[in-house]
Amino acid sequence: MKNLRPLMHTIQHLLVRVIPRHRYCCSISIPPIGDRERSTSVSEFKSKLATGPRFKDFMKDASPGEQTSGVQDGHVKDTQTYLPDDPLIGNSRKVYFETYGCQMNTNDTEIAWSILQRKGYLRTSELSKADVILLVTCSIREKAEQTIWNRLQQLTSLKKRRSKVLGPLKIGVLGCMAERLKTELLEREKLLDVLAGPDAYRDLPRLLALAHGGQQASNVLLSLEETYADIMPVHHSPQGHSAFISIMRGCDNMCSYCIVPFTRGRERSRPVPSILEEVRLLSDQGVREVTLLGQNVNSYRDMSEQQFGGPEPTQLSRGFSTVYRGRKGGLRFVDLLDRVSQINPEMRVRFTSPHPKDFPDEVLHLIQERGNICKQIHLPAQSGSSRVLQAMRRGYTREAYLELVAHIRKIIPEVSLSSDFIAGFCGETEEDHQQSLSLLREVGYNVGFLFAYSMRKKTHAFHRLQDDVPAEVKRRRLEELITVFREEAARVNASLIGSTQLLLVEGESKRCAQDLCGRNDGNLKVVFPATQAFPVRPGDYVLVKITSASSQSLKGYVLGPASLSSPGKVPETYGEERVEVC
């Protein structure tokens, strides 16, 4: 045996060298390959390695000039995307919006949704199905903010109860409240994920990407230039017949009670071509009414079009002043209103919210001349006392305001007026309050928005004035303002009984499914029964005979279909179908 061991070792060594060992990843036998085949295989592998993806192909910002596709040097190039082209993609997550406050917030919601939609997010109208909940908020009054605080408590409770199978729920606050209360929101609401101010909606995809990664994310920086002019809002109207169009952002008036300049920044106007493009698109979609929006909409001035505008300086209403220097050049509000009204004569045009100081005669005459510009003007008074108006830094007296009202009614006899009033501003006496009540009686508004004053941080009043009117006095004065307003509105609206009003039909009445409702030129709600003589659908214009009125609405019956080009003509085929409203 000792003699055989060296021989056996030699034989084993020879077998190992002659018969190579192969390792297989399956039970199927693969025959051995020769040197020629092995050489070919190695050559092919080297070729594939040379033409395959390199390190830069795994990077998002790889130079596009170095990338090619298709066949190259006889080899097919691998075009597989190894990482997502956009790491901020929404991956079909569902977004639920809740919008609070003014029409500007409604438009902001449409802008934010347009941005997120491009990134692959989906929108849902059901809270239970949402992966992201975004609240578009208002800071104009304390009550509006308290509503958001209460809602956040409900949503954070919902977030804690959410099933882990569905993934984490993300909650965000957008708009004015996000800018004003950033620190409080992040510290007080620990489960809040995203904060975005009014000028930061473009950054929403990045903020949400950070939130989905488990971080709190915020951007509340204000801009001197942002108007979202290149972003077409996704209009989300249930009826689809009316839309809001933002033409400017921010405000320079610096009224002492107002937080807007501090939450939305300085005034800047959206370029005219961008606005006209949106109006044309809405017209092509069948929208019958557009409302031009801005914090001080009638001070609009597009300086980007300066070469096409005249050198006229800003023209103020007689007896009014402003804290900022008048602008020269560019396209003014009257130029924009003129161009918008010419796009579709059968599309109504409204605007809000204006400042009384910016109503030169040319604007009033244009409103009177154009059949599709509504004869309705919002004219915020805020107070009937010249002393309080001075403390508010409004730039006019009671007398100047009344002179403007008389001038407007002289040029536009059928005009409908609405207004804002604040009860209990700093230093307001009982005499000041009585002057506000008398102004309500003297002017006679169709529509009113009345509120008790609430102090806002950062404002001029917060730093220089004292909120010295007790809360119970504010409430009592507000109730008295509301009572007088309703009395006068009922009187003004009663004067329309027997008249024929052209309405844009909105849909079914909330109180009775057999009735329809719409709004007249003066933006008053009109309720009327559905007629059997011809079909009436939301978005139609109809003529209605007014039979009764209240401080809030009018009632009547249909005479026939109508158009803005011939508003007073009743078709001969339709008579008076007198049916009472239920």
Side-chain angles (χ1 to χ4, degrees):
M1 289 295 294
K2 292 182 180 179
N3 296 331
L4 290 176
R5 284 177 182 174
L7 179 63
M8 293 295 292
H9 184 269
T10 303
I11 294 172
Q12 184 180 10
H13 180 70
L14 290 172
L15 287 173
V16 170
R17 296 194 62 184
V18 173
I19 305 174
R21 295 181 178 180
H22 298 282
R23 294 184 178 181
Y24 305 108
C25 60
C26 63
S27 60
I28 301 175
S29 176
I30 300 176
I33 58 175
D35 292 341
R36 182 176 299 178
E37 288 82 357
R38 182 183 295 108
S39 176
T40 303
S41 177
V42 171
S43 177
E44 290 179 354
F45 174 74
K46 289 182 177 180
S47 176
K48 289 181 179 180
L49 188 63
T51 58
R54 290 171 286 174
F55 179 73
K56 68 180 182 60
D57 296 308
F58 292 85
M59 299 176 63
K60 177 180 181 294
D61 296 324
S63 173
E66 297 180 10
Q67 298 176 0
T68 59
S69 61
V71 179
Q72 182 177 359
D73 298 330
H75 297 283
V76 178
K77 181 157 179 78
D78 187 358
T79 58
Q80 172 68 36
T81 303
Y82 295 93
L83 290 180
D85 289 334
D86 191 347
L88 308 184
I89 206 71
N91 292 325
S92 299
R93 293 187 179 93
K94 295 182 177 64
V95 182
Y96 178 86
F97 285 94
E98 284 188 8
T99 306
Y100 299 83
C102 63
Q103 295 97 329
M104 280 295 293
N105 281 359
T106 300
N107 185 257
D108 279 5
T109 300
E110 294 166 349
I111 291 172
W113 170 229
S114 178
I115 293 169
L116 291 178
Q117 187 183 49
R118 296 178 185 180
K119 292 296 184 178
Y121 284 88
L122 303 177
R123 186 167 184 175
T124 179
S125 58
E126 299 181 43
L127 183 65
S128 59
K129 295 184 178 180
D131 302 304
V132 178
I133 300 174
L134 298 177
L135 308 184
V136 185
T137 62
C138 175
S139 274
I140 198 71
R141 280 171 291 276
E142 184 178 357
K143 183 179 179 181
E145 289 187 351
Q146 189 57 49
T147 300
I148 301 301
W149 286 119
N150 295 338
R151 185 56 173 155
L152 283 174
Q153 291 179 1
Q154 298 170 3
L155 294 178
T156 51
S157 177
L158 176 67
K159 183 175 184 178
K160 292 177 182 178
R161 298 195 309 267
R162 183 177 172 91
S163 171
K164 293 183 179 180
V165 177
L166 300 175
L169 175 65
K170 301 301 176 182
I171 300 174
V173 170
L174 314 184
C176 296
M177 192 170 169
E179 196 284 331
R180 198 180 89 80
L181 297 172
K182 171 186 174 182
T183 304
E184 292 89 332
L185 283 165
L186 291 177
E187 292 181 355
R188 181 171 163 182
E189 298 297 332
K190 298 298 183 181
L191 296 181
L192 195 63
D193 302 288
V194 169
L195 281 178
D199 293 342
Y201 299 142
R202 292 181 192 270
D203 202 24
L204 270 175
R206 183 187 69 86
L207 298 176
L208 285 172
L210 291 173
H212 291 308
Q215 303 179 52
Q216 280 189 322
S218 67
N219 183 349
V220 294
L221 295 177
L222 293 177
S223 170
L224 293 175
E225 300 177 349
E226 181 63 84
T227 62
Y228 300 106
D230 60 324
I231 295 176
M232 192 62 63
V234 179
H235 295 278
H236 192 73
S237 172
Q239 291 81 23
H241 57 76
S242 61
F244 297 109
I245 299 177
S246 175
I247 67 169
M248 63 184 301
R249 302 182 74 85
C251 184
D252 287 345
N253 286 322
M254 301 300 291
C255 299
S256 62
Y257 56 83
C258 188
I259 192 66
V260 168
F262 305 98
T263 59
R264 288 189 171 268
R266 300 297 300 272
E267 187 177 292
R268 63 269 190 202
S269 298
R270 180 178 168 189
V272 167
S274 170
I275 299 170
L276 299 182
E277 179 186 0
E278 185 173 351
V279 175
R280 292 189 188 99
L281 178 63
L282 292 170
S283 176
D284 293 341
Q285 293 174 355
V287 170
R288 307 302 296 275
E289 180 180 279
V290 294
T291 302
L292 308 181
L293 295 178
Q295 268 72 38
N296 185 18
V297 65
N298 51 343
S299 69
Y300 173 93
R301 189 174 286 261
D302 177 13
M303 303 303 289
S304 68
E305 295 282 324
Q306 186 170 357
Q307 64 271 29
F308 299 109
E312 298 89 350
T314 300
Q315 300 179 36
L316 301 180
S317 306
R318 189 181 300 109
F320 287 71
S321 63
T322 180
V323 298
Y324 60 83
R325 182 182 301 174
R327 300 176 179 87
K328 295 183 179 180
L331 295 175
R332 300 157 299 161
F333 181 64
V334 67
D335 302 313
L336 174 66
L337 195 59
D338 175 37
R339 298 186 186 192
V340 169
S341 65
Q342 293 185 55
I343 289 177
N344 183 353
E346 289 297 317
M347 175 188 281
R348 271 181 171 173
V349 181
R350 300 187 188 274
F351 57 89
T352 196
S353 174
H355 192 289
K357 67 180 175 61
D358 296 305
F359 277 104
D361 288 358
E362 55 189 352
V363 172
L364 301 175
H365 285 299
L366 180 65
I367 295 172
Q368 175 61 17
E369 292 167 5
R370 293 289 161 82
N372 62 335
I373 301 180
C374 292
K375 310 300 182 287
Q376 180 252 331
I377 292 177
H378 187 60
L379 210 62
Q382 307 301 356
S383 175
S385 165
S386 294
R387 192 186 69 82
V388 174
L389 289 171
Q390 183 178 10
M392 289 179 169
R393 305 212 304 181
R394 290 291 288 172
Y396 54 87
T397 62
R398 173 193 177 97
E399 292 72 26
Y401 183 88
L402 286 172
E403 182 180 348
L404 175 62
V405 169
H407 189 60
I408 290 174
R409 284 179 167 158
K410 180 180 179 181
I411 297 176
I412 314 172
E414 67 274 31
V415 70
S416 172
L417 296 178
S418 58
S419 190
D420 297 340
F421 278 84
I422 296 175
F425 184 68
C426 303
E428 183 187 69
T429 65
E430 200 62 34
E431 181 182 353
D432 296 327
H433 171 60
Q434 291 299 321
Q435 290 185 39
S436 291
L437 295 176
S438 68
L439 185 65
L440 278 169
R441 294 189 180 98
E442 188 167 350
V443 175
Y445 302 97
N446 298 85
V447 179
F449 304 92
L450 304 97
F451 307 96
Y453 174 68
S454 59
M455 180 74 81
R456 303 283 81 191
K457 291 182 179 180
K458 297 184 180 180
T459 62
H460 176 83
F462 178 79
H463 292 290
R464 301 294 179 86
L465 303 177
Q466 184 177 356
D467 188 10
D468 54 0
V469 179
E472 60 273 14
V473 175
K474 289 180 182 179
R475 285 193 295 269
R476 190 257 302 168
R477 290 178 182 175
L478 176 60
E479 291 172 0
E480 291 178 359
L481 286 173
I482 293 173
T483 298
V484 172
F485 159 73
R486 286 180 175 172
E487 291 173 353
E488 294 304 313
R491 178 184 60 81
V492 173
N493 294 344
S495 66
L496 298 176
I497 296 176
S499 68
T500 299
Q501 299 289 316
L502 189 150
L503 312 182
L504 176 60
V505 180
E506 294 182 341
E508 291 184 357
S509 171
K510 293 182 180 179
R511 293 188 176 182
C512 182
Q514 283 72 44
D515 293 339
L516 299 175
C517 68
R519 293 191 179 271
N520 70 351
D521 198 74
N523 207 26
L524 279 172
K525 181 180 178 181
V526 183
V527 180
F528 59 95
T531 176
Q532 301 298 322
F534 63 94
V536 178
R537 297 176 297 271
D540 289 344
Y541 290 119
V542 296
L543 288 174
V544 171
K545 187 87 168 195
I546 304 302
T547 57
S548 64
S550 69
S551 63
Q552 303 296 312
S553 63
L554 307 174
K555 293 182 180 180
Y557 58 91
V558 178
L559 296 177
S563 69
L564 295 182
S565 56
S566 54
K569 183 179 179 181
V570 181
E572 296 179 0
T573 55
Y574 304 106
E576 295 187 1
E577 185 186 358
R578 187 69 176 269
V579 181
E580 293 299 326
V581 174
C582 66

